[in-house]
Amino acid sequence: VDPAVARAAREHQDRLTKPRGSLGQLEDVSVRLAALAGRVPAPVPASPAVAVFVGDHGVHAQGVSPWPREVTGQMVANFLAGGAVVNALARQAGAVVAVVDVGMSIEASAVIGAMPGLDRRRVRAGTGDITVEAAMTRDEALAAVAAGAAVADGLLRDGHDLLVTGDMGIANTTPSAALIATLLGADPAVVTGRGTGVDDATLARKVDVVRRAVARAAGDGVGAGDPLGVLASVGGLEHAATVGFVLAAAAARVPVLLDGVIACSSALVAAALVPDARAAMFAGHRSVEPGASAALAALGLVPLLDLGMRLGEGSGGVLAVGVLQAAARVLAEVATFDSAGVTDKNAADGLGAGDA
Amino acid sequence: VDPAVARAAREHQDRLTKPRGSLGQLEDVSVRLAALAGRVPAPVPASPAVAVFVGDHGVHAQGVSPWPREVTGQMVANFLAGGAVVNALARQAGAVVAVVDVGMSIEASAVIGAMPGLDRRRVRAGTGDITVEAAMTRDEALAAVAAGAAVADGLLRDGHDLLVTGDMGIANTTPSAALIATLLGADPAVVTGRGTGVDDATLARKVDVVRRAVARAAGDGVGAGDPLGVLASVGGLEHAATVGFVLAAAAARVPVLLDGVIACSSALVAAALVPDARAAMFAGHRSVEPGASAALAALGLVPLLDLGMRLGEGSGGVLAVGVLQAAARVLAEVATFDSAGVTDKNAADGLGAGDA
């Protein structure tokens, strides 16, 4: 992105009829959107789309979640029927929901059979158990990244101009924590959370599982300097697809709203592969999963919402769509002091109009 | 509100296809909306309206703001032309904006002349200087409360089902701080903020001004036990109108989104007059003004957004419209475990479906 465009956006923001800085984070978002689009003001995103990437996890066998793997499939059926939270929030935001199987298990996919509406791009039927083996091969990781990128490209071709990450996969906060611990060199105890709300005993087991996965990957010679290797070793198929989805949005200079810890861990991989991709990333919300905050801090992203959410599905990303659109709209539509004939005290003393 | 309805709403929320509690604050908002409406689920608000109440302040003479009083009128013209931040955010939210003069000064109203579109309900031309005299008489305060209630009633008759508070008035964070300090018995230094962003010297002067106003009111025998007296003594005309607006919404059991410190100080008065009115209040955002947080804590309200905003106009309230609608929509539209055929682990162990 061009720093001159960001500067021009900031200057335009400072001429709007309001005290400088009085819109806080909305101002920063509007400047970042302009820099990403390469023009001031940026277009106001009009057609959001959320992609829910679905995968299952071999590490489920370690007892990190009380939910059976079939629930992944049951929830996919729920998404396709429009009955899940992400569907309700997407209707509120005027967003479409794409549901993409990149890695459902046999058990999960048996639940839904030939149900129409599912975008079938399965790379493999669930990952390996990351405590004892790599989640997938490097080729499989690349194939899932490509699948996610293809989904983004399709949505962009259909005219969508704001992408939102979503995910479904029983046990998927465990590989998320493993990705974050490995990429940031963080203590698994610090970045592993309760997911759906597991009890203390399960949390302790989960931390141990993440620790073993991180150690196993290190033993296999996989480290933070090889982000694709880390993704294949301790990640998930929905994580890999999200990496591709984010990178494709960034390549098209289209904003992508990140949801929770699955998205944040995937965004870490994407940023490690293509540092400039961060310019397209916007954090929808702060998940209560501790790994999400660690990843956001590392990415330098400040979330738009902080509502104590921990659902996944893309719910926290799609809920933030209106806030991101509002930021763009302010820069695009608000009158300047000159055009509105409002006395500007900004120039004199760094203040601005509005209530004081 | 009926606690049985709130209980039924919570029970329904717990049957939705997601882990219990995983939507954090959205769940609490959905339950409060149902309790307010008296039915489960509550209707999803479809037609929001923001009322921007406008007043001027005699205390402006004390140098609490660098902006001339004319800016109040210039900004009213900007609102009526659709060029202000609140207009842009209202378009984003699908909300109408009503601009209501309840107390503009002669200087401010001279700027706009006979401009059409302004709802003219002026009770008096600006308040008295609260450091030396009451802002207004008790009768004037009541008249402004009635004006605000009439605006709410008109919007409700027009079919609006979600009201948002807004304000404009150069210097109006000063009476807001005086209201909060008096009603909560708080130290003026703790609840007085920088408003548009005044410098250290002006902030120190502003704290002193608030301290003198609070002392003058106490000397006049006005205390927290007489909320209408406090409103008349140290408040503003837009504050009084906001009190009436909030009380009318509450009487109609319609949710009202509070904006920043002007709204929060007014809501304190409304809650002191009619404690049950709190059931209708939803905090749109956490203003950076310290008095706003003090008032929200006293009201027991948790803000939906926290974006470092301090503009007023209703901007932080109208920005939260989509989040409130989303909360209602979840309770109204999301499938239950039974209806969607999703295995429910909630019952067994307090968890739920989704990613884990």
Side-chain angles (χ1 to χ4, degrees):
Chain A
V1 302
D2 184 348
V5 178
R7 206 155 48 236
R10 180 65 68 186
E11 283 165 11
H12 185 69
Q13 181 67 254
D14 285 349
R15 284 194 297 272
L16 303 183
T17 46
K18 57 171 186 56
R20 284 187 186 166
S22 62
L23 288 181
Q25 230 176 298
L26 280 198
E27 300 190 9
D28 302 332
V29 170
S30 77
V31 170
R32 290 191 60 213
L33 286 170
L36 179 66
R39 64 186 179 91
V40 181
V44 180
S47 183
V50 54
V52 181
F53 294 107
V54 186
D56 275 302
H57 301 274
V59 74
H60 183 270
Q62 297 291 332
V64 290
S65 172
W67 297 85
R69 291 175 106 175
E70 288 81 356
V71 171
T72 298
Q74 293 168 344
M75 285 302 297
V76 166
N78 200 13
F79 298 144
L80 295 173
V85 170
V86 70
N87 303 105
L89 297 184
R91 285 189 290 270
Q92 179 64 41
V96 305
V97 179
V99 186
V100 188
D101 174 11
V102 286
M104 287 175 75
S105 65
I106 303 299
E107 303 93 303
S109 55
V111 171
I112 56 168
M115 197 161 184
L118 179 63
D119 189 356
R120 294 171 191 271
R121 297 172 185 265
R122 193 185 303 169
V123 172
R124 67 179 263 178
T127 55
D129 177 350
I130 57 174
T131 60
V132 296
E133 61 185 328
M136 62 194 101
T137 67
R138 187 178 278 261
D139 281 353
E140 287 166 341
L142 270 177
V145 169
V151 169
D153 285 339
L155 292 169
L156 296 175
R157 266 200 312 276
D158 288 348
H160 295 292
D161 52 5
L162 172 58
L163 301 187
V164 183
T165 73
D167 69 275
M168 180 69 218
I170 294 300
N172 70 6
T173 61
T174 296
S176 301
L179 283 171
I180 294 166
T182 304
L183 291 170
L184 300 184
D187 183 345
V190 172
V191 296
T192 303
R194 289 177 189 272
T196 50
V198 300
D199 60 20
D200 289 348
T202 308
L203 176 60
R205 182 162 58 239
K206 197 170 160 185
V207 170
D208 180 62
V209 162
V210 172
R211 206 181 293 284
R212 285 190 283 143
V214 169
R216 196 266 314 145
D220 288 351
V222 174
D226 174 18
L228 189 68
V230 173
L231 177 65
S233 187
V234 300
L237 291 146
E238 68 272 49
H239 299 76
T242 302
V243 170
F245 187 75
V246 167
L247 291 179
R253 301 181 72 148
V254 167
V256 56
L257 271 164
L258 305 178
D259 183 29
V261 71
I262 286 82
C264 292
S265 63
S266 306
L268 275 183
V269 176
L273 290 168
V274 184
D276 285 350
R278 276 183 294 190
M281 299 177 189
F282 294 82
H285 79 131
R286 183 182 300 283
S287 160
V288 297
E289 280 290 296
S293 287
L296 290 176
L299 292 164
L301 298 176
V302 184
L304 295 172
L305 300 171
D306 188 357
L307 293 164
M309 290 168 59
R310 54 177 166 83
L311 174 59
E313 301 181 2
S315 55
V318 76
L319 188 59
V321 162
V323 178
L324 185 138
Q325 288 171 318
R329 200 181 269 265
V330 165
L331 199 64
E333 296 184 4
V334 173
T336 61
F337 284 103
D338 279 352
S339 72
V342 176
T343 306
D344 178 12
K345 295 296 281 184
N346 281 324
D349 47 32
L351 305 175
D355 50 31
Chain B
V1 304
D2 184 346
V5 178
R7 207 155 47 236
R10 180 65 67 186
E11 283 165 11
H12 185 69
Q13 181 67 254
D14 286 349
R15 284 195 296 271
L16 303 183
T17 45
K18 58 173 185 53
R20 283 187 187 168
S22 62
L23 289 180
Q25 230 176 298
L26 280 198
E27 299 191 10
D28 302 332
V29 169
S30 77
V31 170
R32 290 190 60 215
L33 287 169
L36 179 66
R39 64 187 179 88
V40 180
V44 180
S47 183
V50 54
V52 181
F53 294 107
V54 186
D56 275 302
H57 301 275
V59 75
H60 183 271
Q62 298 290 331
V64 291
S65 172
W67 297 86
R69 291 175 106 174
E70 288 81 355
V71 171
T72 298
Q74 293 167 344
M75 286 301 296
V76 166
N78 200 13
F79 298 144
L80 295 172
V85 170
V86 70
N87 302 104
L89 297 184
R91 285 189 289 270
Q92 179 64 41
V96 305
V97 179
V99 186
V100 187
D101 175 10
V102 286
M104 287 175 75
S105 64
I106 304 299
E107 303 95 304
S109 56
V111 171
I112 57 168
M115 196 160 183
L118 179 63
D119 189 357
R120 294 171 191 272
R121 297 171 186 265
R122 194 185 301 170
V123 172
R124 67 178 264 179
T127 55
D129 177 351
I130 58 174
T131 60
V132 296
E133 62 185 328
M136 64 195 100
T137 68
R138 187 179 279 260
D139 282 353
E140 287 166 341
L142 270 176
V145 168
V151 169
D153 285 340
L155 291 169
L156 296 174
R157 267 201 312 277
D158 289 348
H160 296 292
D161 53 6
L162 172 58
L163 301 187
V164 183
T165 74
D167 69 275
M168 178 69 219
I170 294 298
N172 70 5
T173 61
T174 296
S176 300
L179 284 171
I180 293 165
T182 304
L183 291 170
L184 299 183
D187 182 345
V190 172
V191 296
T192 303
R194 290 177 189 271
T196 49
V198 300
D199 59 21
D200 288 349
T202 308
L203 176 61
R205 182 161 59 241
K206 197 171 161 186
V207 170
D208 180 62
V209 162
V210 173
R211 206 181 292 285
R212 285 191 283 144
V214 169
R216 197 266 314 144
D220 289 350
V222 175
D226 174 18
L228 189 68
V230 173
L231 177 65
S233 188
V234 301
L237 291 147
E238 68 272 49
H239 298 76
T242 303
V243 170
F245 186 75
V246 167
L247 291 179
R253 302 181 73 147
V254 167
V256 57
L257 271 165
L258 306 177
D259 183 29
V261 72
I262 286 83
C264 292
S265 64
S266 306
L268 275 184
V269 176
L273 291 168
V274 184
D276 285 351
R278 277 183 293 191
M281 299 176 190
F282 294 81
H285 79 129
R286 183 182 300 282
S287 160
V288 297
E289 280 289 295
S293 286
L296 289 175
L299 291 164
L301 297 177
V302 184
L304 295 173
L305 300 172
D306 188 357
L307 292 165
M309 290 169 58
R310 54 178 166 82
L311 175 60
E313 302 182 2
S315 55
V318 76
L319 187 59
V321 162
V323 178
L324 186 138
Q325 289 171 317
R329 200 181 269 266
V330 165
L331 200 64
E333 296 184 3
V334 172
T336 61
F337 284 102
D338 278 352
S339 73
V342 176
T343 307
D344 179 13
K345 294 298 280 186
N346 283 321
D349 46 31
L351 305 175
D355 49 31

